[in-house]
């Protein structure tokens, strides 16, 4: 009997244990509670596979891009919001808030400065009024309508003489004030996708032109553009919060998903940083593919609550596309379509040869801005101070109507849409929050040069704009122009702004003259060359397309050297009058130009000898043949490999005197067309580097035959 009792007891204990075990199993399989995700183990969701890529040319199903489910992440978040405009306090003539606004578009002129420091001639597009304005704080006090709305512009008028021409000019300044306190501001939760250019040109040193190899004699920093870019991205990631989401796309001639868009709080960000720093360059440059694939990551997040989330792509590139579908029309089309859906873009230019002309055009899209990296260290400091401002546009579709029979707009300085401002209407576009100190706003000014057509002294100013939720606001003010002209108080912000406008005018005139000597004395009219249906143009120089560029050596003739001396004195005097020591950087830049000595730079070879496609194909005598120095990765197109297509593509390569590959001709084709073996062979060859051929110890440019073998083995 005792044995029977013990047996029954044993069976009951066993059943009880099984029940407990089953209960634990159920608990493991059940979804985690929302508040438990905060302590969940963080994952490394890096999934880069160069054998899997997004086919943006085919228009087929987006089979590569995958995002995490559009959930809140489960963490209990506090409300992150910007104070509604109805509760904001008014801004008066002599009062100020501790935040203001700055315009979108260019946020610096660092590429312009870097080119001059390295002995190169910048592109005219590398210096803009709005880019330079964002380097400085401006006194924005002035006439303003009392309003509690988010945007509260102020106005000042002045007649000033142009120090370069001695002509009298009439200027209107628009102070970009807000009724927003910095203590009330915090950015939204951020869905951020970084799109990174890993093409072959990103492997060149940060301070060299990829397509010619010119460099300084004493070159301490030989890091590549990709190295600078990846360090910048890692610095950027430090500013993301647990409730933000982060994803990443890489592109060369194709685009690759590196990391899906997932919550930062659930991601092992240290591991992600390590993956980013380990990246290497390869292939061509298809900016369209990168932007298109980055856009696809947002498919599940385009309808998020704008009062809670911000969607943004940050795009890092040297902006030298060399693939189909990369002209500004198609890339602009993606950005414009994204903006309509509330997905905005920040473009970051990398390297001294950054194609500022292309990016300056496409950054006109709503909600867009762009920066150029002068150094990774300096840009990290900028991110520490401005990251939240960079990703949070607040004012959209801003236009200013100047209703005055006696005046019309002559030109606008300080907005990407300057060329689209005519007659009475000034288009400004997007405003981003900007820091303010004692009534001075960083980049917080737009200048309008007026043309007087009659003696009417009354001017009515109407500012119309939308907030981030699409609600429209208007702000109207009528001012007595004659009375303001007689006032003894002159706005120091307006005066500083006009000084910088004339400074930009001088530098642009010099650059345009050096690039086109016939342009001197015939300044081109301000007009918008942005043509949405304009087909991509080819440069006269063989081997390079419209956006790929070689360097031009810095040149300062006697005329402009004297003009720079005159303006240096003006800048020095005004710096003391304004008490703005930061203007010293402009004095230093003028000193570089005034005292420019080309012997400080070693350009390695005569500029004309490195032009692509100019080397004759006939016999060229040399003592030492070219010697290959590297072995780039050869990308075997997946569809060709799957189809068993193989063979040898025969190329003729122009090996330039700097060891780079210039023009490329296909002499034996295997599979032509976009994405074929011919194209893969050309992309491989573009990354080759050689010890150049030499005659009597001097480099000479020659053509060589180079087979590229695609084999299943």
């Amino acid at each position: 009997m005792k044995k029977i009792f013990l047996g029954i007891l044993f069976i009951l204990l066993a059943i009880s244990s099984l029940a407990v075990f089953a209960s634990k199993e159920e608990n493991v399989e059940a979804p985690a509670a929302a508040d438990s995700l905060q302590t969940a183990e963080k994952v490394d969701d890096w999934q880069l596979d160069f054998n899997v890529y997004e086919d943006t040319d085919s228009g087929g199903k987006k089979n590569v891009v995958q995002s995490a489910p559009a959930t809140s992440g489960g963490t209990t978040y506090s409300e992150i919001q910007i104070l509604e405009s109805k509760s904001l306090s008014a801004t008066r003539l002599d009062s100020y808030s501790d935040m203001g606004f700055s315009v979108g578009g260019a946020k610096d002129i660092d590429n312009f400065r870097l080119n001059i420091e390295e002995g190169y001639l910048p592109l005219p597009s590398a210096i803009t009024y709005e880019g330079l304005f964002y380097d400085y704080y401006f006194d924005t006090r002035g006439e303003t309508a009392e309003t509690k709305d988010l945007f509260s512009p102020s106005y000042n008028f002045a007649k000033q003489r142009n120090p370069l021409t001695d002509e009298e000019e009439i200027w209107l300044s628009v102070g970009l004030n807000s009724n927003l306190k910095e203590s009330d501001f915090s950015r939204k939760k951020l869905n951020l996708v970084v799109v990174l250019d890993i093409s072959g040109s990103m492997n060149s040193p940060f301070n060299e032109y990829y397509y010619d190899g010119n460099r300084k004699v004493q070159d301490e920093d030989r890091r590549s553009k990709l190295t600078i870019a990846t360090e910048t991205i890692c610095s950027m990631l430090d500013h993301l919060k647990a409730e933000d989401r982060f994803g990443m796309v890489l592109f060369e001639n194709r685009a690759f998903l590196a990391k899906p868009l997932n919550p930062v709080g659930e991601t092992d960000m240290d591991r992600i940083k390590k993956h980013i720093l380990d990246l290497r360059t390869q292939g061509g440059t298809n900016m369209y593919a990168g932007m298109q694939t980055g856009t696809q990551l947002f498919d599940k997040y385009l309808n998020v609550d704008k009062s809670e989330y911000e969607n943004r792509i940050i795009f890092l590139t040297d902006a030298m596309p060399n693939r189909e579908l990369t002209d500004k029309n198609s890339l602009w089309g993606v950005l414009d379509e994204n903006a309509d859906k509330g997905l905005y873009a920040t473009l970051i230019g990398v390297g001294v040869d950054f194609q500022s002309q292309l990016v300056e055009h496409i950054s006109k899209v709503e909600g867009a801005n762009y920066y150029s990296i002068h150094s990774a260290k300096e840009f990290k400091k900028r991110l520490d101070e401005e990251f939240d401002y960079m990703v949070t546009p607040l004012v959209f579709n801003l236009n200013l109507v100047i209703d005055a029979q006696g005046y019309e707009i002559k030109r606008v300085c300080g907005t990407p849409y300057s060329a689209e401002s005519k007659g009475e209407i000034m288009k400004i576009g997007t405003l981003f929050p900007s820091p303010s100190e004692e009534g001075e706003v960083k980049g917080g000014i737009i200048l309008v040069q007026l043309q007087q057509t009659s003696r009417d002294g009354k001017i009515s100013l109407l500012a119309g704009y939308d907030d981030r939720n699409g609600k429209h606001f208007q702000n109207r003010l009528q001012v007595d122009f004659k009375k303001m002209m007689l006032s003894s108080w002159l706005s120091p912000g307006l005066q500083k702004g006009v000084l910088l406008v004339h400074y930009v005018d001088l530098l642009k005139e010099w650059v345009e003259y050096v690039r086109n000597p016939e342009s001197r004395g015939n300044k081109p009219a301000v007009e918008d060359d942005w043509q949405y249906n304009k087909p991509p143009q080819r440069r006269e120089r063989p081997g390079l397309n419209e956006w790929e560029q070689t360097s031009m050596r810095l040149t300062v003739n006697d005329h402009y050297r004297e003009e720079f001396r005159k303006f240096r004195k003006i800048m020095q005097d005004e710096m003391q009058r304004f008490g703005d020591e930061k203007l010293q950087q402009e004095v230093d830049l003028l000193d570089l130009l005034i005292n420019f000595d080309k012997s400080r730079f070693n350009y390695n070879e005569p500029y004309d000898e490195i032009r692509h496609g100019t080397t004759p194909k006939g016999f060229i005598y040399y003592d030492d043949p070219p010697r290959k120095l590297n072995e780039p990765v050869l990308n075997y197109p997946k569809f060709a490999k799957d189809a068993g297509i193989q063979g040898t593509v025969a190329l003729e390569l122009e090996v330039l005197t700097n060891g780079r590959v210039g023009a490329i001709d296909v002499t034996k084709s295997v599979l032509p067309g976009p994405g074929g073996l011919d194209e893969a062979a050309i992309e491989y060859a573009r990354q080759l580097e050689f010890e150049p051929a030499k005659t009597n110890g001097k480099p000479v440019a020659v053509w060589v035959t180079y087979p590229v073998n695609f084999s299943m083995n």
Side-chain angles (χ1 to χ4, degrees):
M1 189 72 178
K2 185 177 180 181
K3 290 182 179 180
I4 294 173
F5 175 78
L6 290 175
I8 293 172
L9 181 61
F10 176 81
I11 293 171
L12 290 173
L13 288 172
I15 292 173
S16 176
S17 298
L18 287 172
V20 171
F21 180 78
S23 174
K24 288 183 178 180
E25 289 254 307
E26 285 182 359
N27 288 338
V28 170
E29 294 178 354
D35 58 0
S36 68
L37 289 176
Q38 198 168 13
T39 57
E41 183 178 355
K42 296 184 178 182
V43 297
D44 178 0
D45 58 353
W46 189 263
Q47 59 184 56
L48 178 62
D49 183 353
F50 286 115
N51 292 316
V52 181
Y53 60 91
E54 178 66 31
D55 185 3
T56 56
D57 295 341
S58 69
K61 181 177 176 60
K62 308 184 228 350
N63 59 327
V64 173
V65 177
Q66 299 175 355
S67 300
T71 65
S72 64
T75 306
T76 302
Y77 303 129
S78 60
E79 193 76 9
I80 300 178
Q81 60 182 5
I82 295 173
L83 213 58
E84 295 295 333
S85 61
K86 63 183 180 182
S87 64
L88 296 172
S89 59
T91 301
R92 304 183 190 280
L93 177 63
D94 293 311
S95 65
Y96 46 82
S97 173
D98 58 2
M99 284 194 72
F101 290 112
S102 63
V103 300
K107 308 300 283 189
D108 57 56
I109 62 164
D110 285 355
N111 180 260
F112 188 90
R113 299 186 195 279
L114 180 61
N115 267 270
I116 290 175
E117 290 171 6
E118 297 295 333
Y120 303 127
L121 185 73
L123 289 171
S125 56
I127 183 168
T128 64
Y129 302 112
E130 61 271 19
L132 182 59
F133 285 175
Y134 198 64
D135 262 348
Y136 295 93
Y137 283 79
F138 296 89
D139 187 327
T140 57
R141 293 173 296 167
E143 291 288 335
T144 180
E146 292 188 15
T147 177
K148 294 183 179 180
D149 293 338
L150 179 64
F151 176 50
S152 179
S154 60
Y155 304 98
N156 282 288
F157 291 88
K159 284 185 179 180
Q160 291 198 188
R161 289 202 170 275
N162 187 321
L164 300 174
T165 65
D166 200 38
E167 296 176 354
E168 187 176 71
E169 299 172 340
I170 302 174
W171 289 95
L172 160 67
S173 68
V174 183
L176 305 179
N177 301 310
S178 79
N179 285 313
L180 182 65
K181 297 291 185 181
E182 190 168 9
S183 59
D184 299 326
F185 171 80
S186 181
R187 70 165 171 83
K188 313 296 183 185
K189 301 171 190 175
L190 181 63
N191 293 326
L192 175 66
V193 170
V194 169
V195 178
L196 174 63
D197 183 350
I198 59 166
S199 64
S201 61
M202 291 288 285
N203 191 46
S204 65
F206 181 75
N207 53 0
E208 290 185 12
Y209 275 71
Y210 174 70
Y211 286 105
D212 64 26
N214 291 341
R215 65 171 179 261
K216 289 180 69 174
V217 176
Q218 295 179 344
D219 198 355
E220 298 178 357
D221 190 353
R222 298 283 294 164
R223 292 182 299 168
S224 71
K225 288 183 280 189
L226 182 65
T227 298
I228 301 293
T230 54
E231 290 176 359
T232 298
I233 293 169
C234 290
S235 296
M236 195 182 302
L237 297 185
D238 292 336
H239 296 274
L240 297 182
K241 304 172 185 177
E243 60 265 30
D244 297 330
R245 296 187 184 96
F246 172 66
M248 190 164 181
V249 167
L250 312 177
F251 74 93
E252 24 107 310
N253 58 297
R254 300 161 297 177
F256 306 90
L257 174 63
K259 183 192 178 305
L261 188 57
N262 285 329
V264 171
E266 300 174 14
T267 304
D268 187 341
M269 297 303 288
D270 289 336
R271 293 290 300 171
I272 297 300
K273 288 181 183 179
K274 185 177 186 303
H275 293 308
I276 292 171
L277 294 173
D278 287 341
L279 290 171
R280 298 294 181 267
T281 59
Q282 62 182 49
T285 310
N286 190 337
M287 294 172 65
Y288 175 86
M291 186 62 74
Q292 186 82 319
T293 303
T295 298
Q296 291 163 9
L297 284 178
F298 287 90
D299 283 350
K300 297 181 179 180
Y301 301 102
L302 291 177
N303 296 320
V304 295
D305 184 353
K306 288 186 177 181
S307 66
E308 186 178 7
Y309 279 97
E310 182 78 37
N311 289 337
R312 182 160 291 265
I313 290 175
I314 295 184
F315 196 92
L316 292 94
T317 179
D318 58 7
M320 290 193 291
N322 55 22
R323 283 289 315 273
E324 294 181 13
L325 296 175
T326 54
D327 61 275
K328 59 188 178 185
N329 309 305
S330 58
L331 186 58
W332 180 89
V334 176
L335 287 167
D336 192 49
E337 184 178 341
N338 286 350
D340 288 341
K341 300 175 182 177
L343 171 55
Y344 305 116
T346 294
L347 298 104
I348 298 179
V350 187
V352 69
D353 54 353
F354 164 56
Q355 233 300 352
S356 57
Q357 184 179 6
L358 173 61
V359 174
E360 196 272 332
H361 279 311
I362 61 182
S363 66
K364 292 181 179 181
V365 174
E366 180 182 287
N369 50 20
Y370 89 83
Y371 300 77
S372 52
I373 302 177
H374 197 169
S375 75
K377 182 179 180 180
E378 288 182 12
F379 202 78
K380 181 182 184 303
K381 181 181 178 182
R382 166 166 277 189
L383 288 171
D384 291 342
E385 297 172 350
E386 302 174 16
F387 180 77
D388 288 356
Y389 301 150
M390 177 192 299
V391 299
T392 313
L394 295 181
V395 173
F396 299 87
N397 302 316
L398 174 59
N399 289 281
L400 178 67
V401 179
I402 301 178
D403 184 8
Q405 293 182 354
Y407 299 89
E408 63 180 27
I409 296 173
K410 184 175 181 179
R411 65 166 171 161
V412 177
C413 304
T415 165
Y417 298 97
S418 297
E420 298 179 29
S421 302
K422 298 178 181 178
E424 297 178 346
I425 300 177
M426 178 173 72
K427 185 173 182 180
I428 299 174
T430 308
L431 297 183
F432 290 78
S434 188
S436 176
E437 296 178 359
E438 298 182 355
E440 294 192 345
V441 178
K442 185 173 184 181
I445 194 171
I446 296 170
L447 289 173
V448 186
Q449 187 176 359
L450 297 174
Q451 181 78 41
Q452 187 170 6
T453 58
S454 74
R455 295 186 177 276
D456 191 331
K458 297 289 186 180
I459 295 181
S460 179
L461 301 162
L462 175 64
Y465 65 95
D466 300 328
D467 67 10
R468 61 182 297 109
N469 295 315
K471 184 178 178 181
H472 188 71
F473 294 83
Q474 288 189 349
N475 180 300
R476 184 184 294 272
L477 177 69
Q478 184 168 316
V479 298
D480 188 327
F481 179 74
K482 290 181 180 179
K483 183 178 179 181
M484 292 192 72
M485 289 296 99
L486 295 173
S487 172
S488 60
W489 186 79
L490 288 177
S491 166
L494 184 152
Q495 293 179 78
K496 185 195 294 186
V498 172
L499 171 72
L500 294 175
V501 164
H502 292 146
Y503 174 63
V504 172
D505 289 343
L506 176 60
L507 292 174
K508 274 185 174 288
E509 181 187 311
W510 159 65
V511 171
E512 289 165 354
Y513 169 74
V514 175
R515 290 181 176 272
N516 179 18
E518 296 180 0
S519 67
R520 184 179 170 188
N522 298 300
K523 294 183 182 180
V526 177
E527 60 180 39
D528 188 9
D529 63 350
W530 179 256
Q531 301 174 37
Y532 303 129
N533 296 317
K534 176 183 176 183
Q537 298 178 344
R538 303 292 295 183
R539 291 190 175 186
E540 294 180 359
R541 186 176 305 150
L544 295 183
N545 70 23
E546 183 182 6
W547 305 116
E548 297 167 315
Q549 59 172 332
T550 53
S551 68
M552 286 189 68
R553 297 181 182 183
L554 190 63
T555 302
V556 183
N557 63 16
D558 291 340
H559 168 76
Y560 282 104
R561 200 180 300 271
E562 184 59 30
E563 291 294 295
F564 293 149
R565 283 196 184 96
K566 292 177 184 177
F567 207 89
R568 183 195 184 282
K569 184 178 187 309
I570 295 170
M571 186 70 74
Q572 187 84 44
D573 292 343
E574 296 297 274
M575 177 178 67
Q576 295 176 1
R577 185 162 71 92
F578 295 135
D580 189 344
E581 295 182 357
K582 193 167 186 181
L583 286 168
Q584 182 64 44
Q585 67 179 339
E586 314 309 340
V587 175
D588 294 342
L589 185 68
L590 290 170
D591 283 339
L592 280 175
L593 296 173
I594 293 167
N595 303 311
F596 177 69
D597 180 4
K598 64 182 180 181
S599 66
R600 290 176 49 238
F601 302 92
N602 177 14
Y603 295 99
N604 294 330
E605 63 282 305
Y607 175 73
D608 290 340
E609 289 185 14
I610 61 170
R611 296 187 179 218
H612 294 58
T614 60
T615 306
K617 283 195 174 183
F619 176 75
I620 297 178
Y621 174 80
Y622 51 81
D623 299 320
D624 302 309
R627 182 171 62 87
K628 189 171 73 169
L629 299 177
N630 67 332
E631 186 56 56
V633 175
L634 175 61
N635 293 315
Y636 201 145
K638 187 174 185 297
F639 81 92
K641 185 182 291 186
D642 292 344
I645 301 173
Q646 54 186 346
T648 300
V649 178
L651 304 175
E652 285 189 345
L653 310 180
E654 181 189 26
V655 180
L656 303 172
T657 54
N658 60 8
R660 299 276 174 84
V661 173
I664 301 174
D665 290 340
V666 179
T667 58
K668 179 187 173 184
S669 174
V670 174
L671 184 63
L677 297 188
D678 290 5
E679 188 176 76
I682 291 172
E683 289 163 359
Y684 162 83
R686 282 191 183 278
Q687 300 175 69
L688 289 168
E689 295 181 1
F690 293 85
E691 180 74 28
K694 293 181 180 178
T695 300
N696 296 325
K698 294 184 178 181
V700 292
V702 298
W703 285 85
V704 298
T705 300
Y706 197 100
V708 182
N709 184 43
F710 294 88
S711 172
M712 301 297 292
N713 297 321

